Amino acid sequence: MEKIKIILNEFLKDGKKAVFLAVGSELRGDDAAGIAAAGELVKENLPNGFKVMLGYTAPENLTGEIKKFAPSHLIICDAADSGLNPGEISVISTDDIQGAAFSTHMMPMNVFINYISKDNPLKTLIIGIQPENLEFGAEMSESVKTAAVNLSKIIFQAVVNSKI
């Protein structure tokens, strides 16, 4: 978690406005990892320059809202199989997402990012939480729940530190 803390603080240090975009399906167990992190974040007293958006399985539906807000920074959080232990968090380079399969959404993430940043260049960070169980109807595993809560705390602190 210390590495994620450092990465987030560095990523947001020059931020003007930022969006946390949660992706995933609440119907598929750990696929809701990003949604769970968003749920924790909205409990905090977030600054006006930081928005939490729920993209669920169709984050492309929020492109207009994201473009209108015109963030300088975008954090995308999703369950992502990175070959780690369940609940481990990884940062996924935008260069590494060509053809990468993220949970259940349809639009390739690189296409989504390119479209969002076309008129308003922004920095993007993709955070993946390693799922344990993506079965339809499954409950979220404890390791992923814990990771989502811990990640939300780290993001909130990074936002506070950045003075967004």
Side-chain angles (χ1 to χ4, degrees), residues 14-32:
D14 61 344
K16 308 281 186 274
K17 293 197 291 187
V19 167
F20 178 85
L21 177 61
V23 181
S25 171
E26 294 176 303
L27 301 175
R28 297 179 53 119
D30 293 341
D31 192 42

Side-chain angles (χ1 to χ4, degrees), residues 22-102:
V23 181
S25 171
E26 294 176 303
L27 301 175
R28 297 179 53 119
D30 293 341
D31 192 42
I35 305 300
E40 293 297 317
L41 272 171
V42 298
K43 294 176 184 177
E44 300 291 347
N45 185 18
L46 299 170
N48 291 335
F50 186 76
K51 297 250 187 250
V52 175
M53 297 185 184
L54 301 173
Y56 295 103
T57 60
E60 60 272 14
N61 291 342
L62 295 174
T63 55
E65 192 175 343
I66 294 169
K67 284 181 155 205
K68 184 177 178 184
F69 184 64
S72 57
H73 292 67
L74 174 65
I75 300 168
I76 300 170
C77 184
D78 195 1
D81 187 354
S82 301
L84 302 172
N85 292 322
E88 285 191 56
I89 298 170
S90 60
V91 173
I92 300 156
S93 164
T94 53
D95 296 334
D96 294 338
I97 61 171
Q98 304 263 0
F102 285 88

